Structures are given as structure tokens and as C-alpha cells.
Amino acid sequence: MFTKIIAWLKSQFTKGKSEMTEVVQAVETAVEAIVPAVEQVVAPAPAVVDAFEDAAAKIKAVYDKLGIDVHAWDQVKALAKAL
């Protein structure tokens, strides 16, 4: 009786292990397909940030030249970056 239970438990473990292996392989395949697309989207991000910093510096320089004090300039810049 106990040998049948042990055999059944072993079969359940083997079945579960093979199912989990299939799930892991499916996830790995999905990740392999997604990663290149994400890398393409993220690649230009540093250039966009640099362009934003340049534009913000030029805008700030104009305000400074006109004598306009933007009290919350750092907060405005941080908000624009976040958006």
C-alpha cells in the first residue's frame, strides 16, 4: 500500500517538474522576444534627456537675461522630466 502511495507521489513530482520546466521555457522564450524591443525603446533615452537638458538650459538663460526669476525652476524641470 505504501509503495503505491510513494510511487504515486513520485509520479506527481515528476509530472509537476516537467510542467514547471515547460513554463520556465515559455517564459524564457517570451523574455527573449521582448528584450530586444525594450532595448530599442530605451536606447534613445539618454539622447532625449540630453536634448531636454540643453533646451531647459537655453530657456533658463533667456529668463535670466530678461531678469525673470522662475521661483520653482528646479521643480518645473523635474516635473517636465517626469512627464
Side-chain angles (χ1 to χ4, degrees):
M1 170 83 168
F2 287 114
T3 56
K4 288 183 179 180
I5 293 174
I6 291 173
W8 179 80
L9 287 171
K10 283 183 179 179
S11 72
Q12 294 302 307
F13 175 76
T14 303
K15 179 182 174 187
K17 184 178 177 186
S18 66
E19 289 173 353
M20 286 307 298
T21 301
E22 292 171 7
V23 169
V24 168
Q25 289 172 345
V27 169
E28 287 174 346
T29 302
V31 167
E32 288 173 1
I34 293 170
V35 167
V38 171
E39 288 173 345
Q40 287 179 349
V41 170
V42 174
V48 171
V49 171
D50 290 343
F52 172 78
E53 290 290 341
D54 288 342
K58 290 175 182 176
I59 292 167
K60 179 73 167 110
V62 170
Y63 281 134
D64 289 345
K65 194 171 193 175
L66 295 173
I68 300 170
D69 182 30
V70 181
H71 300 289
W73 180 253
D74 292 333
Q75 291 83 356
V76 169
K77 196 165 92 170
L79 177 61
K81 275 185 174 180
L83 297 175

